[in-house]
Amino acid sequence: MATLQAPYGSWPSPIDARLVAAHDGRPEYLNAVGTEIWWTEPRPEEGGRRALMRLSDTGGEAVSVLPPPWNVRNRVIEYGGQPWAGAPRAEGGPLVVFTHFGDQRLYAVEPDAPAAEPRPLTPISRVVPGGLRWCDPVVLPDRGEVWCVLEEFTGPSQIEVRRVLVAVPLDGSAAEDRDRVRELTDQSTGSRFVTGPRVSPDGRRVAWIAWDHPAMPWDSSFARVADVSAEGVLTSARTLAGGPKESVAQLEWAADGTLLYTSDADGWWNLHRADLSAGTRATPLCPREEEFGAGIWKIGQRWFAPLPNGLIATIHGRGSMRLGILDPETGELVDGTGPWTEWAGTLAVSGSRVVSVAASPHSGYEVVELDTCTGHSRVIAGHHHDPVDPAHYPEPRVRSFTGPDGSEVHAHVYPPRHPEYSAPPGELPPYVVWAHGGPNSRSPLVLDLEIAYFTSRGIGVVEVNYGGSTGYGRHYRDRLREQWGVVDVEDCATVARALAEEGTADRARLAIRGGSAGGWTTASSLTNPGTAGLYACGTIQFPVLDLEAWGNGETHDFESRYLETLIGPHAEVPERYRERSPLLRAHQVDAPFLILQGLDDVICLPIQCERFLERAKGTGVPNACLTFAGEGHGFRRADTIVTAVEAELSLYVQSFGITRDDIPRLGLES
């Protein structure tokens, strides 16, 4: 089919910003309640709330359990954690507990009861609004309790906080009385951070993961085990696995009472099994140079789940994650069938059924069921439907590049693609480098309509999984240790330069963008003498900009000492904090930039953007800053997403010299 010719970046596209917003987010936090599968799902058009969904095993469509404004989400460690749990009952339907984002309280609901209304189980904090937070619950009807994580703020500062495992009465007696919440662990002899409890099948033991400042959980964390008395008191707590250079990502009890956990003691997050009746001896189940887990950014994520027959469903891979079934006796691992190439860190098991959330470069995230008896996989909810002709989607390429020090740099390249348009002969496309957040995180290779929004208009995108990214083993993660602002910047620059040198991208029309830690990498790249002149512009979203302030309490507790790993202890290397801080180099910014910032962000505070803009005055560099009330760290509301996406495109249109009049013009001030 003959195509029309038009310059890159000027092509028309049916993928508009409203469509991008409608497909933002994905299902999360799957679990089984009896034979039913439940999960949370985003609602951008409803102010960004998370709906609690329920799917019967008899078929039919998934239904929302709670109407607006119920928002099933919490703020534990600010990134949140498993916000609900359920237990089947012989009569009257299931009992479900959940956290509501609006007040952070824990509620109970009996969805099959007549005129079912959620009732509070926990009180409101008298110290700090929303200062009592709960996550990763386990419903124990026989005890009449919910066991979970409590995050309790003891003062107005973000670091005046404690976290313990607690038991909350199911009868609602603690709804107005904090003293009725029974603490299971003691932070004075425990750890600052804990995941939710995992209770053994016989109820006699409980296990959890713990870690302490200054380590992040992917640097150093521990599997802890305690005995449970008849009264529900934890005794004889001890450490089963973990260490200063070992990370435990997940643990679960198998049906036979052995404890399964993932550890990177050998350099990769691999599965292990410990038989506590025979001591604490642990056995690796499937040693491979692959990951069977990832970093604990949200408490309660699950990359593996034991099946009743002794097999283990596990998400695993290197650079991408797929679903397989492991025989722990033989070490044989067989992957499920289907077109999905990326599986999210959430699993539910019901009998022989395994349910997770999966996507591919050609389909968005869907709720997928694997029948382990037949080996058949099928989509059971959230079915992918192409809102436009898939010919407008990019065809990504998995690439590896070589950095200046010989290190391998992983990337996903998304060239421009349109079924009806091509560029004039000889014209090279503009490209935008996407730096992911974290920074110890990863960009998955999946269909993302935000990427397609740009590629379908003739602007290429390349996602860089720079040194420090998860998915490639501990050695790759450790490349970023004390090198933040160096390795991430160099790796992004390596990919950008390589694309230009090989003739894939226009050297004069390169841009960089990112949010959170990716915003840091973007701002660092635009103010770094080593990358001066490389990028024509950049989009900085909810970034870290002021290292000394961020490391001195101007962020939340979870990451408050992250810089000791990423930069180094301030007392030992104070000059690094000054040399690498984009704020102190703002006068060196050499390309137009756009800042996008939520005003309710407590992780990367808006004040840092204000300081950066003030210091950038006088440079003559055009810039704009858009702020959004009601948005925190990352954007959830449809209107916000629309404005942000269109503003970003406008920046590229103006910076790359593209002609188009179908988007609002961004006002860039010098």
Side-chain angles (χ1 to χ4, degrees):
M1 177 179 173
T3 58
L4 303 172
Q5 284 191 358
Y8 284 117
S10 68
W11 303 344
S13 173
I15 303 173
D16 61 16
R18 187 63 61 178
L19 192 62
V20 172
H23 289 78
D24 185 69
R26 60 175 172 81
E28 280 187 302
Y29 300 119
L30 275 88
N31 216 331
V33 181
T35 59
E36 296 184 342
I37 302 299
W38 292 51
W39 66 90
T40 68
E41 196 169 272
R43 292 285 188 269
E45 72 283 359
E46 296 178 13
R49 82 176 185 103
R50 300 287 304 194
L52 182 60
M53 306 299 294
R54 174 186 190 182
L55 181 65
S56 169
D57 64 331
T58 60
E61 296 293 322
V63 297
S64 177
V65 177
L66 301 165
W70 293 107
N71 188 354
V72 183
R73 180 179 158 222
N74 57 65
R75 289 181 58 183
V76 174
I77 68 169
E78 294 302 342
Y79 292 113
Q82 176 74 34
W84 73 274
R89 296 184 298 178
E91 297 180 359
L95 172 66
V96 174
V97 300
F98 68 93
T99 54
H100 174 52
F101 187 76
D103 58 15
Q104 294 297 304
R105 298 174 86 180
L106 189 66
Y107 287 80
V109 66
E110 300 170 49
D112 293 341
E117 286 291 332
R119 53 186 176 83
L121 298 181
T122 58
I124 294 175
S125 172
R126 297 178 180 177
V127 178
V128 178
L132 290 173
R133 303 172 179 179
W134 322 80
C135 84
D136 211 3
V138 177
V139 181
L140 302 174
D142 292 344
R143 291 191 177 275
E145 293 177 326
V146 181
W147 288 15
C148 61
V149 175
L150 163 62
E151 180 178 78
E152 180 174 23
F153 283 79
T154 57
S157 167
Q158 291 203 72
I159 61 173
E160 294 179 80
V161 61
R162 59 193 298 269
R163 298 173 190 86
V164 291
L165 298 182
V166 297
V168 178
L170 279 169
D171 62 8
S173 58
E176 303 298 333
D177 185 358
R178 166 66 179 83
D179 292 338
R180 294 283 295 175
V181 176
R182 187 167 62 89
E183 298 193 4
L184 300 171
T185 58
D186 182 353
Q187 186 168 305
S188 66
T189 58
S191 300
R192 192 172 183 88
F193 300 94
V194 292
T195 64
R198 297 292 181 264
V199 181
S200 63
D202 61 7
R204 296 172 58 188
R205 294 189 178 100
V206 65
W208 67 95
I209 298 171
W211 68 96
D212 283 291
H213 283 320
M216 299 302 287
W218 44 87
D219 296 319
S220 170
S221 52
F222 301 85
R224 300 276 286 164
V225 181
D227 299 327
V228 182
S229 72
E231 295 75 26
V233 176
L234 304 193
T235 62
S236 304
R238 63 265 193 201
T239 296
L240 175 68
K245 295 184 179 180
E246 178 184 355
S247 164
V248 177
Q250 184 193 341
L251 45 73
E252 306 287 342
W253 295 97
D256 63 1
T258 58
L259 185 65
L260 307 172
Y261 65 92
T262 50
S263 163
D264 69 349
D266 295 325
W268 297 82
W269 276 307
N270 278 190
L271 274 165
H272 296 72
R273 176 171 59 189
D275 185 353
L276 273 67
S277 64
T280 58
R281 181 177 56 85
T283 304
L285 298 180
C286 186
R288 293 186 177 193
E289 289 190 348
E290 290 187 8
E291 305 284 34
F292 289 73
I296 302 177
W297 283 99
K298 296 181 178 181
I299 293 174
Q301 289 181 285
R302 302 178 82 195
W303 295 275
F304 73 87
L307 287 134
N309 61 6
L311 299 178
I312 303 171
T314 181
I315 295 168
H316 68 103
R318 183 171 183 165
S320 63
M321 303 292 273
R322 55 194 182 276
L323 175 63
I325 303 298
L326 172 67
D327 184 338
E329 302 305 323
T330 66
E332 182 181 7
L333 179 61
V334 178
D335 289 338
T337 60
W340 307 280
T341 56
E342 187 71 48
W343 295 75
T346 183
L347 277 175
V349 167
S350 177
S352 62
R353 301 156 56 219
V354 178
V355 183
S356 186
V357 176
S360 79
H362 306 102
S363 61
Y365 285 103
E366 304 171 289
V367 180
V368 180
E369 176 191 275
L370 168 64
D371 186 327
T372 60
C373 293
T374 65
H376 178 66
S377 299
R378 66 188 180 106
V379 178
I380 60 173
H383 297 69
H384 172 80
H385 298 288
D386 292 311
V388 300
D389 182 348
H392 291 91
Y393 301 159
E395 290 284 355
R397 304 165 187 167
V398 179
R399 297 281 305 272
S400 291
F401 301 85
T402 303
D405 61 353
S407 297
E408 188 177 29
V409 181
H410 305 283
H412 305 147
V413 180
Y414 298 82
R417 183 172 183 243
H418 197 292
E420 299 172 4
Y421 281 82
S422 62
E427 183 184 357
L428 294 176
Y431 259 81
V432 183
V433 174
W434 283 31
H436 63 69
N440 294 114
S441 185
R442 179 176 64 90
S443 293
L445 185 66
V446 298
L447 176 63
D448 184 338
L449 288 188
E450 188 172 8
I451 291 177
Y453 176 86
F454 294 104
T455 58
S456 63
R457 286 168 169 77
I459 298 174
V461 170
V462 55
E463 295 178 312
V464 181
N465 282 322
Y466 48 81
S469 300
T470 52
Y472 306 96
R474 190 178 186 101
H475 177 73
Y476 196 76
R477 292 204 310 274
D478 283 348
R479 283 189 59 217
L480 202 62
R481 183 175 290 271
E482 298 193 4
Q483 295 297 310
W484 197 36
V486 178
V487 164
D488 51 324
V489 170
E490 288 179 349
D491 284 1
C492 287
T494 289
V495 173
R497 291 187 180 111
L499 294 179
E501 289 168 2
E502 70 185 24
T504 297
D506 185 345
R507 173 65 179 79
R509 295 191 294 175
L510 297 171
I512 185 168
R513 65 96 83 167
S516 190
W520 150 274
T521 300
T522 299
S524 295
S525 299
L526 296 181
T527 58
N528 191 320
T531 50
L534 178 59
Y535 301 108
C537 61
T539 302
I540 305 168
Q541 301 176 327
F542 37 94
V544 179
L545 296 171
D546 185 348
L547 282 183
E548 291 194 301
W550 204 80
N552 194 32
E554 204 167 82
T555 188
H556 63 146
D557 183 59
F558 176 56
E559 295 177 275
S560 62
R561 296 183 65 182
Y562 198 178
L563 296 184
E564 293 188 34
T565 300
L566 295 174
I567 305 296
H570 185 272
E572 298 175 16
V573 289
E575 69 284 353
R576 285 186 197 164
Y577 285 70
R578 294 187 292 269
E579 292 168 358
R580 296 187 195 171
S581 176
L583 176 72
L584 300 183
R585 298 197 311 235
H587 63 283
Q588 297 177 179
V589 65
D590 67 346
F593 62 91
L594 166 66
I595 292 179
L596 301 169
Q597 176 69 48
L599 292 178
D600 292 351
D601 194 341
V602 298
I603 297 174
C604 294
L605 303 188
I607 188 65
Q608 296 216 345
C609 294
E610 295 174 21
R611 294 180 192 136
F612 186 84
L613 290 168
E614 184 64 29
R615 285 178 176 263
K617 285 182 178 179
T619 61
V621 174
N623 65 83
C625 178
L626 302 181
T627 58
F628 303 97
E631 293 283 13
H633 197 66
F635 305 144
R636 296 175 178 271
R637 300 179 177 183
D639 289 345
T640 301
I641 296 168
V642 168
T643 299
V645 168
E646 290 183 343
E648 185 175 351
L649 176 59
S650 183
L651 173 70
Y652 303 148
V653 166
Q654 295 180 61
S655 301
F656 295 155
I658 297 168
T659 300
R660 61 183 312 143
D661 57 8
D662 60 338
I663 59 168
R665 186 174 180 82
L666 179 67
L668 294 173
E669 300 179 358
S670 298

